[in-house]
Amino acid sequence: MFDGVINAGYAIWREFAAIYLSANVQGIEYYPTLSEIKQDVLEIAELIRLDNPTAKVSMSDFLACIMMSREASRESSWESANVWLNKIGLTHFIGIANHVYIQTCSERFWEIDVEFIETLGSAYFAVLAKNRR
């Protein structure tokens, strides 16, 4: 199981980091509010399930949407993102979103360790367990 957790965590982080770094290198100028991207977030969240072989990629996309929102930008309050996720019924995504948010706030966010990846993978499996049809 440990190998599966590490594998999942690393796969999710690798794809998320590629999206996040690309957007930051290109100099994103517009950060949509979570309300503006609600339908996209809900559609992506629906894809994060056990019977979807691309669920890890969907989780990366989900995290990128959340982290590149106005609520996740440094000028805004992250707590409002947690409230929003709770309000739209995605409470089980809050833990994984918080984990990634804390990492993205670090100055050298791309530097990760095994503990971070293991926690990310565990959080992913927790979401899968609760995100059933």
mmCIF file of all heavy atoms in Angstrom, residues 35-78:
data_model
loop_
_atom_site.group_PDB
_atom_site.id
_atom_site.type_symbol
_atom_site.label_atom_id
_atom_site.label_comp_id
_atom_site.label_asym_id
_atom_site.label_seq_id
_atom_site.Cartn_x
_atom_site.Cartn_y
_atom_site.Cartn_z
ATOM 1 N N SER A 35 -16.313 30.921 -7.557
ATOM 2 C CA SER A 35 -17.689 30.951 -8.062
ATOM 3 C C SER A 35 -17.722 30.977 -9.587
ATOM 4 O O SER A 35 -18.605 30.366 -10.197
ATOM 5 C CB SER A 35 -18.436 32.161 -7.507
ATOM 6 O OG SER A 35 -18.581 32.021 -6.115
ATOM 7 N N GLU A 36 -16.770 31.656 -10.196
ATOM 8 C CA GLU A 36 -16.713 31.729 -11.657
ATOM 9 C C GLU A 36 -16.362 30.383 -12.289
ATOM 10 O O GLU A 36 -16.758 30.120 -13.427
ATOM 11 C CB GLU A 36 -15.691 32.780 -12.105
ATOM 12 C CG GLU A 36 -16.097 34.194 -11.804
ATOM 13 C CD GLU A 36 -14.999 35.211 -12.084
ATOM 14 O OE1 GLU A 36 -13.794 34.871 -11.995
ATOM 15 O OE2 GLU A 36 -15.351 36.362 -12.379
ATOM 16 N N ILE A 37 -15.625 29.557 -11.574
ATOM 17 C CA ILE A 37 -15.210 28.266 -12.134
ATOM 18 C C ILE A 37 -15.915 27.083 -11.458
ATOM 19 O O ILE A 37 -15.491 25.936 -11.589
ATOM 20 C CB ILE A 37 -13.681 28.092 -12.075
ATOM 21 C CG1 ILE A 37 -13.170 28.184 -10.630
ATOM 22 C CG2 ILE A 37 -12.980 29.080 -12.984
ATOM 23 C CD1 ILE A 37 -11.706 27.815 -10.468
ATOM 24 N N LYS A 38 -17.005 27.375 -10.775
ATOM 25 C CA LYS A 38 -17.728 26.345 -10.018
ATOM 26 C C LYS A 38 -18.075 25.134 -10.874
ATOM 27 O O LYS A 38 -17.838 23.993 -10.470
ATOM 28 C CB LYS A 38 -18.999 26.936 -9.409
ATOM 29 C CG LYS A 38 -19.837 25.915 -8.668
ATOM 30 C CD LYS A 38 -21.110 26.535 -8.119
ATOM 31 C CE LYS A 38 -21.970 25.502 -7.419
ATOM 32 N NZ LYS A 38 -23.209 26.090 -6.914
ATOM 33 N N GLN A 39 -18.648 25.339 -12.033
ATOM 34 C CA GLN A 39 -19.067 24.221 -12.874
ATOM 35 C C GLN A 39 -17.861 23.374 -13.290
ATOM 36 O O GLN A 39 -17.933 22.147 -13.268
ATOM 37 C CB GLN A 39 -19.827 24.717 -14.103
ATOM 38 C CG GLN A 39 -20.550 23.618 -14.839
ATOM 39 C CD GLN A 39 -21.545 22.872 -13.954
ATOM 40 O OE1 GLN A 39 -22.293 23.451 -13.172
ATOM 41 N NE2 GLN A 39 -21.561 21.560 -14.064
ATOM 42 N N ASP A 40 -16.751 24.008 -13.646
ATOM 43 C CA ASP A 40 -15.538 23.272 -14.007
ATOM 44 C C ASP A 40 -15.043 22.437 -12.826
ATOM 45 O O ASP A 40 -14.697 21.267 -12.985
ATOM 46 C CB ASP A 40 -14.421 24.224 -14.442
ATOM 47 C CG ASP A 40 -14.735 24.950 -15.723
ATOM 48 O OD1 ASP A 40 -15.480 24.405 -16.564
ATOM 49 O OD2 ASP A 40 -14.245 26.077 -15.895
ATOM 50 N N VAL A 41 -15.010 23.042 -11.657
ATOM 51 C CA VAL A 41 -14.547 22.348 -10.454
ATOM 52 C C VAL A 41 -15.427 21.144 -10.157
ATOM 53 O O VAL A 41 -14.933 20.042 -9.869
ATOM 54 C CB VAL A 41 -14.485 23.319 -9.246
ATOM 55 C CG1 VAL A 41 -14.257 22.576 -7.946
ATOM 56 C CG2 VAL A 41 -13.397 24.369 -9.456
ATOM 57 N N LEU A 42 -16.729 21.314 -10.246
ATOM 58 C CA LEU A 42 -17.658 20.206 -9.986
ATOM 59 C C LEU A 42 -17.500 19.076 -11.007
ATOM 60 O O LEU A 42 -17.534 17.892 -10.652
ATOM 61 C CB LEU A 42 -19.096 20.708 -9.959
ATOM 62 C CG LEU A 42 -19.473 21.563 -8.744
ATOM 63 C CD1 LEU A 42 -20.841 22.205 -8.944
ATOM 64 C CD2 LEU A 42 -19.438 20.731 -7.471
ATOM 65 N N GLU A 43 -17.311 19.438 -12.261
ATOM 66 C CA GLU A 43 -17.137 18.426 -13.305
ATOM 67 C C GLU A 43 -15.836 17.649 -13.105
ATOM 68 O O GLU A 43 -15.808 16.427 -13.263
ATOM 69 C CB GLU A 43 -17.170 19.073 -14.691
ATOM 70 C CG GLU A 43 -18.556 19.518 -15.097
ATOM 71 C CD GLU A 43 -18.592 20.311 -16.397
ATOM 72 O OE1 GLU A 43 -17.563 20.345 -17.122
ATOM 73 O OE2 GLU A 43 -19.645 20.899 -16.695
ATOM 74 N N ILE A 44 -14.781 18.345 -12.765
ATOM 75 C CA ILE A 44 -13.503 17.675 -12.520
ATOM 76 C C ILE A 44 -13.607 16.792 -11.280
ATOM 77 O O ILE A 44 -13.137 15.647 -11.278
ATOM 78 C CB ILE A 44 -12.358 18.698 -12.378
ATOM 79 C CG1 ILE A 44 -12.126 19.428 -13.704
ATOM 80 C CG2 ILE A 44 -11.072 18.014 -11.928
ATOM 81 C CD1 ILE A 44 -11.216 20.638 -13.600
ATOM 82 N N ALA A 45 -14.223 17.292 -10.223
ATOM 83 C CA ALA A 45 -14.370 16.511 -8.988
ATOM 84 C C ALA A 45 -15.129 15.212 -9.256
ATOM 85 O O ALA A 45 -14.813 14.174 -8.663
ATOM 86 C CB ALA A 45 -15.081 17.334 -7.925
ATOM 87 N N GLU A 46 -16.087 15.247 -10.144
ATOM 88 C CA GLU A 46 -16.862 14.052 -10.494
ATOM 89 C C GLU A 46 -15.980 12.971 -11.135
ATOM 90 O O GLU A 46 -16.267 11.783 -11.027
ATOM 91 C CB GLU A 46 -17.998 14.439 -11.440
ATOM 92 C CG GLU A 46 -18.844 13.303 -11.921
ATOM 93 C CD GLU A 46 -19.682 12.655 -10.832
ATOM 94 O OE1 GLU A 46 -20.013 13.331 -9.842
ATOM 95 O OE2 GLU A 46 -19.998 11.469 -10.969
ATOM 96 N N LEU A 47 -14.903 13.378 -11.771
ATOM 97 C CA LEU A 47 -13.999 12.430 -12.433
ATOM 98 C C LEU A 47 -13.036 11.741 -11.471
ATOM 99 O O LEU A 47 -12.362 10.780 -11.854
ATOM 100 C CB LEU A 47 -13.199 13.156 -13.523
ATOM 101 C CG LEU A 47 -14.009 13.755 -14.662
ATOM 102 C CD1 LEU A 47 -13.112 14.600 -15.558
ATOM 103 C CD2 LEU A 47 -14.716 12.665 -15.459
ATOM 104 N N ILE A 48 -12.965 12.213 -10.258
ATOM 105 C CA ILE A 48 -12.019 11.659 -9.282
ATOM 106 C C ILE A 48 -12.731 10.530 -8.527
ATOM 107 O O ILE A 48 -13.336 10.738 -7.488
ATOM 108 C CB ILE A 48 -11.496 12.772 -8.351
ATOM 109 C CG1 ILE A 48 -10.840 13.868 -9.182
ATOM 110 C CG2 ILE A 48 -10.518 12.194 -7.328
ATOM 111 C CD1 ILE A 48 -10.559 15.142 -8.423
ATOM 112 N N ARG A 49 -12.643 9.343 -9.135
ATOM 113 C CA ARG A 49 -13.309 8.173 -8.565
ATOM 114 C C ARG A 49 -12.512 6.919 -8.931
ATOM 115 O O ARG A 49 -11.723 6.924 -9.877
ATOM 116 C CB ARG A 49 -14.749 8.084 -9.028
ATOM 117 C CG ARG A 49 -14.937 8.052 -10.495
ATOM 118 C CD ARG A 49 -16.402 8.020 -10.897
ATOM 119 N NE ARG A 49 -16.496 7.649 -12.289
ATOM 120 C CZ ARG A 49 -16.417 8.493 -13.306
ATOM 121 N NH1 ARG A 49 -16.267 9.781 -13.088
ATOM 122 N NH2 ARG A 49 -16.500 8.052 -14.540
ATOM 123 N N LEU A 50 -12.772 5.859 -8.199
ATOM 124 C CA LEU A 50 -12.015 4.614 -8.347
ATOM 125 C C LEU A 50 -12.076 4.016 -9.752
ATOM 126 O O LEU A 50 -11.094 3.440 -10.218
ATOM 127 C CB LEU A 50 -12.516 3.576 -7.339
ATOM 128 C CG LEU A 50 -12.053 3.763 -5.914
ATOM 129 C CD1 LEU A 50 -12.786 2.813 -4.982
ATOM 130 C CD2 LEU A 50 -10.554 3.562 -5.804
ATOM 131 N N ASP A 51 -13.193 4.130 -10.424
ATOM 132 C CA ASP A 51 -13.331 3.499 -11.732
ATOM 133 C C ASP A 51 -12.805 4.347 -12.885
ATOM 134 O O ASP A 51 -12.966 3.985 -14.046
ATOM 135 C CB ASP A 51 -14.791 3.106 -11.980
ATOM 136 C CG ASP A 51 -15.728 4.303 -12.084
ATOM 137 O OD1 ASP A 51 -15.369 5.409 -11.614
ATOM 138 O OD2 ASP A 51 -16.843 4.133 -12.623
ATOM 139 N N ASN A 52 -12.154 5.446 -12.594
ATOM 140 C CA ASN A 52 -11.594 6.307 -13.632
ATOM 141 C C ASN A 52 -10.073 6.149 -13.643
ATOM 142 O O ASN A 52 -9.406 6.572 -12.700
ATOM 143 C CB ASN A 52 -11.972 7.771 -13.387
ATOM 144 C CG ASN A 52 -11.437 8.684 -14.476
ATOM 145 O OD1 ASN A 52 -10.798 8.251 -15.439
ATOM 146 N ND2 ASN A 52 -11.676 9.970 -14.317
ATOM 147 N N PRO A 53 -9.504 5.563 -14.695
ATOM 148 C CA PRO A 53 -8.053 5.372 -14.734
ATOM 149 C C PRO A 53 -7.256 6.685 -14.795
ATOM 150 O O PRO A 53 -6.063 6.686 -14.532
ATOM 151 C CB PRO A 53 -7.827 4.522 -15.989
ATOM 152 C CG PRO A 53 -9.069 4.641 -16.794
ATOM 153 C CD PRO A 53 -10.183 4.999 -15.855
ATOM 154 N N THR A 54 -7.916 7.778 -15.118
ATOM 155 C CA THR A 54 -7.218 9.069 -15.154
ATOM 156 C C THR A 54 -7.579 9.947 -13.948
ATOM 157 O O THR A 54 -7.441 11.175 -14.000
ATOM 158 C CB THR A 54 -7.513 9.826 -16.466
ATOM 159 O OG1 THR A 54 -8.906 10.113 -16.534
ATOM 160 C CG2 THR A 54 -7.082 9.028 -17.685
ATOM 161 N N ALA A 55 -7.999 9.324 -12.867
ATOM 162 C CA ALA A 55 -8.422 10.077 -11.673
ATOM 163 C C ALA A 55 -7.292 10.911 -11.085
ATOM 164 O O ALA A 55 -7.535 12.006 -10.583
ATOM 165 C CB ALA A 55 -8.979 9.121 -10.617
ATOM 166 N N LYS A 56 -6.059 10.438 -11.157
ATOM 167 C CA LYS A 56 -4.931 11.213 -10.606
ATOM 168 C C LYS A 56 -4.713 12.497 -11.407
ATOM 169 O O LYS A 56 -4.463 13.556 -10.829
ATOM 170 C CB LYS A 56 -3.653 10.371 -10.566
ATOM 171 C CG LYS A 56 -3.685 9.309 -9.493
ATOM 172 C CD LYS A 56 -2.414 8.504 -9.468
ATOM 173 C CE LYS A 56 -2.659 7.290 -10.236
ATOM 174 N NZ LYS A 56 -1.995 6.125 -10.167
ATOM 175 N N VAL A 57 -4.837 12.397 -12.718
ATOM 176 C CA VAL A 57 -4.718 13.592 -13.559
ATOM 177 C C VAL A 57 -5.861 14.555 -13.242
ATOM 178 O O VAL A 57 -5.651 15.772 -13.144
ATOM 179 C CB VAL A 57 -4.704 13.224 -15.062
ATOM 180 C CG1 VAL A 57 -4.753 14.471 -15.932
ATOM 181 C CG2 VAL A 57 -3.466 12.398 -15.391
ATOM 182 N N SER A 58 -7.043 14.008 -13.044
ATOM 183 C CA SER A 58 -8.193 14.852 -12.688
ATOM 184 C C SER A 58 -7.957 15.545 -11.354
ATOM 185 O O SER A 58 -8.313 16.719 -11.184
ATOM 186 C CB SER A 58 -9.468 14.021 -12.642
ATOM 187 O OG SER A 58 -9.766 13.509 -13.919
ATOM 188 N N MET A 59 -7.350 14.838 -10.402
ATOM 189 C CA MET A 59 -7.042 15.469 -9.112
ATOM 190 C C MET A 59 -6.048 16.607 -9.305
ATOM 191 O O MET A 59 -6.189 17.668 -8.698
ATOM 192 C CB MET A 59 -6.500 14.448 -8.115
ATOM 193 C CG MET A 59 -6.147 15.056 -6.760
ATOM 194 S SD MET A 59 -7.548 15.861 -5.910
ATOM 195 C CE MET A 59 -8.297 14.456 -5.128
ATOM 196 N N SER A 60 -5.054 16.408 -10.148
ATOM 197 C CA SER A 60 -4.097 17.486 -10.443
ATOM 198 C C SER A 60 -4.808 18.689 -11.037
ATOM 199 O O SER A 60 -4.531 19.835 -10.659
ATOM 200 C CB SER A 60 -3.022 16.989 -11.418
ATOM 201 O OG SER A 60 -2.297 15.931 -10.868
ATOM 202 N N ASP A 61 -5.717 18.441 -11.969
ATOM 203 C CA ASP A 61 -6.490 19.526 -12.587
ATOM 204 C C ASP A 61 -7.357 20.240 -11.554
ATOM 205 O O ASP A 61 -7.460 21.471 -11.551
ATOM 206 C CB ASP A 61 -7.372 18.989 -13.716
ATOM 207 C CG ASP A 61 -6.579 18.508 -14.911
ATOM 208 O OD1 ASP A 61 -5.394 18.871 -15.049
ATOM 209 O OD2 ASP A 61 -7.147 17.743 -15.721
ATOM 210 N N PHE A 62 -7.995 19.452 -10.692
ATOM 211 C CA PHE A 62 -8.827 20.016 -9.621
ATOM 212 C C PHE A 62 -7.994 20.951 -8.746
ATOM 213 O O PHE A 62 -8.376 22.092 -8.476
ATOM 214 C CB PHE A 62 -9.423 18.881 -8.785
ATOM 215 C CG PHE A 62 -10.200 19.360 -7.598
ATOM 216 C CD1 PHE A 62 -11.546 19.673 -7.719
ATOM 217 C CD2 PHE A 62 -9.601 19.512 -6.364
ATOM 218 C CE1 PHE A 62 -12.277 20.126 -6.617
ATOM 219 C CE2 PHE A 62 -10.313 19.957 -5.260
ATOM 220 C CZ PHE A 62 -11.650 20.267 -5.390
ATOM 221 N N LEU A 63 -6.843 20.459 -8.306
ATOM 222 C CA LEU A 63 -5.980 21.269 -7.438
ATOM 223 C C LEU A 63 -5.489 22.526 -8.154
ATOM 224 O O LEU A 63 -5.409 23.597 -7.553
ATOM 225 C CB LEU A 63 -4.812 20.426 -6.931
ATOM 226 C CG LEU A 63 -5.202 19.320 -5.952
ATOM 227 C CD1 LEU A 63 -4.052 18.346 -5.753
ATOM 228 C CD2 LEU A 63 -5.667 19.905 -4.626
ATOM 229 N N ALA A 64 -5.178 22.407 -9.443
ATOM 230 C CA ALA A 64 -4.732 23.578 -10.206
ATOM 231 C C ALA A 64 -5.842 24.624 -10.275
ATOM 232 O O ALA A 64 -5.579 25.824 -10.103
ATOM 233 C CB ALA A 64 -4.284 23.157 -11.605
ATOM 234 N N CYS A 65 -7.059 24.199 -10.518
ATOM 235 C CA CYS A 65 -8.186 25.148 -10.549
ATOM 236 C C CYS A 65 -8.302 25.891 -9.222
ATOM 237 O O CYS A 65 -8.433 27.123 -9.195
ATOM 238 C CB CYS A 65 -9.505 24.423 -10.824
ATOM 239 S SG CYS A 65 -9.763 23.934 -12.522
ATOM 240 N N ILE A 66 -8.257 25.139 -8.137
ATOM 241 C CA ILE A 66 -8.400 25.754 -6.817
ATOM 242 C C ILE A 66 -7.221 26.675 -6.512
ATOM 243 O O ILE A 66 -7.404 27.813 -6.058
ATOM 244 C CB ILE A 66 -8.526 24.662 -5.726
ATOM 245 C CG1 ILE A 66 -9.728 23.754 -5.982
ATOM 246 C CG2 ILE A 66 -8.592 25.288 -4.334
ATOM 247 C CD1 ILE A 66 -11.068 24.410 -5.957
ATOM 248 N N MET A 67 -6.005 26.203 -6.760
ATOM 249 C CA MET A 67 -4.804 26.978 -6.392
ATOM 250 C C MET A 67 -4.597 28.208 -7.266
ATOM 251 O O MET A 67 -3.914 29.142 -6.864
ATOM 252 C CB MET A 67 -3.552 26.103 -6.448
ATOM 253 C CG MET A 67 -3.531 24.980 -5.461
ATOM 254 S SD MET A 67 -3.861 25.494 -3.763
ATOM 255 C CE MET A 67 -4.913 24.157 -3.242
ATOM 256 N N MET A 68 -5.184 28.209 -8.453
ATOM 257 C CA MET A 68 -5.022 29.371 -9.320
ATOM 258 C C MET A 68 -6.258 30.265 -9.290
ATOM 259 O O MET A 68 -6.465 31.099 -10.160
ATOM 260 C CB MET A 68 -4.674 28.915 -10.734
ATOM 261 C CG MET A 68 -3.273 28.302 -10.765
ATOM 262 S SD MET A 68 -2.594 27.958 -12.386
ATOM 263 C CE MET A 68 -3.711 26.735 -13.006
ATOM 264 N N SER A 69 -7.046 30.107 -8.246
ATOM 265 C CA SER A 69 -8.217 30.969 -8.067
ATOM 266 C C SER A 69 -7.826 32.214 -7.273
ATOM 267 O O SER A 69 -6.771 32.257 -6.637
ATOM 268 C CB SER A 69 -9.317 30.217 -7.313
ATOM 269 O OG SER A 69 -8.938 30.015 -5.962
ATOM 270 N N ARG A 70 -8.676 33.185 -7.318
ATOM 271 C CA ARG A 70 -8.447 34.418 -6.559
ATOM 272 C C ARG A 70 -8.352 34.131 -5.064
ATOM 273 O O ARG A 70 -7.548 34.703 -4.350
ATOM 274 C CB ARG A 70 -9.563 35.422 -6.853
ATOM 275 C CG ARG A 70 -9.269 36.803 -6.298
ATOM 276 C CD ARG A 70 -10.237 37.839 -6.812
ATOM 277 N NE ARG A 70 -10.247 37.832 -8.273
ATOM 278 C CZ ARG A 70 -11.279 38.270 -9.000
ATOM 279 N NH1 ARG A 70 -12.362 38.725 -8.427
ATOM 280 N NH2 ARG A 70 -11.229 38.231 -10.314
ATOM 281 N N GLU A 71 -9.171 33.185 -4.597
ATOM 282 C CA GLU A 71 -9.185 32.863 -3.175
ATOM 283 C C GLU A 71 -7.862 32.254 -2.707
ATOM 284 O O GLU A 71 -7.486 32.398 -1.548
ATOM 285 C CB GLU A 71 -10.334 31.885 -2.869
ATOM 286 C CG GLU A 71 -11.704 32.522 -2.957
ATOM 287 C CD GLU A 71 -12.268 32.597 -4.371
ATOM 288 O OE1 GLU A 71 -11.563 32.279 -5.356
ATOM 289 O OE2 GLU A 71 -13.439 32.996 -4.508
ATOM 290 N N ALA A 72 -7.156 31.590 -3.601
ATOM 291 C CA ALA A 72 -5.885 30.963 -3.225
ATOM 292 C C ALA A 72 -4.689 31.889 -3.444
ATOM 293 O O ALA A 72 -3.584 31.573 -3.011
ATOM 294 C CB ALA A 72 -5.670 29.676 -4.010
ATOM 295 N N SER A 73 -4.912 33.025 -4.091
ATOM 296 C CA SER A 73 -3.793 33.954 -4.293
ATOM 297 C C SER A 73 -3.372 34.526 -2.944
ATOM 298 O O SER A 73 -4.139 34.570 -1.997
ATOM 299 C CB SER A 73 -4.184 35.060 -5.269
ATOM 300 O OG SER A 73 -5.137 35.922 -4.696
ATOM 301 N N ARG A 74 -2.154 34.931 -2.854
ATOM 302 C CA ARG A 74 -1.594 35.387 -1.571
ATOM 303 C C ARG A 74 -2.334 36.602 -0.987
ATOM 304 O O ARG A 74 -2.357 36.780 0.201
ATOM 305 C CB ARG A 74 -0.123 35.705 -1.735
ATOM 306 C CG ARG A 74 0.679 34.485 -2.133
ATOM 307 C CD ARG A 74 2.132 34.658 -1.852
ATOM 308 N NE ARG A 74 2.962 33.703 -2.531
ATOM 309 C CZ ARG A 74 3.094 32.430 -2.219
ATOM 310 N NH1 ARG A 74 2.404 31.935 -1.232
ATOM 311 N NH2 ARG A 74 3.887 31.636 -2.885
ATOM 312 N N GLU A 75 -2.944 37.393 -1.834
ATOM 313 C CA GLU A 75 -3.633 38.591 -1.346
ATOM 314 C C GLU A 75 -4.981 38.262 -0.708
ATOM 315 O O GLU A 75 -5.556 39.066 -0.002
ATOM 316 C CB GLU A 75 -3.872 39.593 -2.486
ATOM 317 C CG GLU A 75 -2.628 40.056 -3.205
ATOM 318 C CD GLU A 75 -2.182 39.090 -4.290
ATOM 319 O OE1 GLU A 75 -3.026 38.552 -5.013
ATOM 320 O OE2 GLU A 75 -0.964 38.868 -4.389
ATOM 321 N N SER A 76 -5.501 37.101 -0.999
ATOM 322 C CA SER A 76 -6.835 36.744 -0.519
ATOM 323 C C SER A 76 -6.762 35.771 0.646
ATOM 324 O O SER A 76 -5.722 35.247 0.974
ATOM 325 C CB SER A 76 -7.634 36.114 -1.653
ATOM 326 O OG SER A 76 -7.800 37.031 -2.703
ATOM 327 N N SER A 77 -7.876 35.525 1.230
ATOM 328 C CA SER A 77 -7.972 34.611 2.365
ATOM 329 C C SER A 77 -8.225 33.188 1.881
ATOM 330 O O SER A 77 -9.221 32.918 1.206
ATOM 331 C CB SER A 77 -9.106 35.060 3.290
ATOM 332 O OG SER A 77 -9.361 34.074 4.254
ATOM 333 N N TRP A 78 -7.348 32.293 2.255
ATOM 334 C CA TRP A 78 -7.507 30.890 1.887
ATOM 335 C C TRP A 78 -8.734 30.276 2.565
ATOM 336 O O TRP A 78 -9.368 29.388 2.012
ATOM 337 C CB TRP A 78 -6.250 30.111 2.244
ATOM 338 C CG TRP A 78 -6.399 28.642 2.048
ATOM 339 C CD1 TRP A 78 -6.391 27.693 3.017
ATOM 340 C CD2 TRP A 78 -6.621 27.946 0.816
ATOM 341 N NE1 TRP A 78 -6.594 26.447 2.471
ATOM 342 C CE2 TRP A 78 -6.733 26.576 1.115
ATOM 343 C CE3 TRP A 78 -6.748 28.339 -0.507
ATOM 344 C CZ2 TRP A 78 -6.956 25.608 0.148
ATOM 345 C CZ3 TRP A 78 -6.968 27.367 -1.478
ATOM 346 C CH2 TRP A 78 -7.071 26.031 -1.145
#
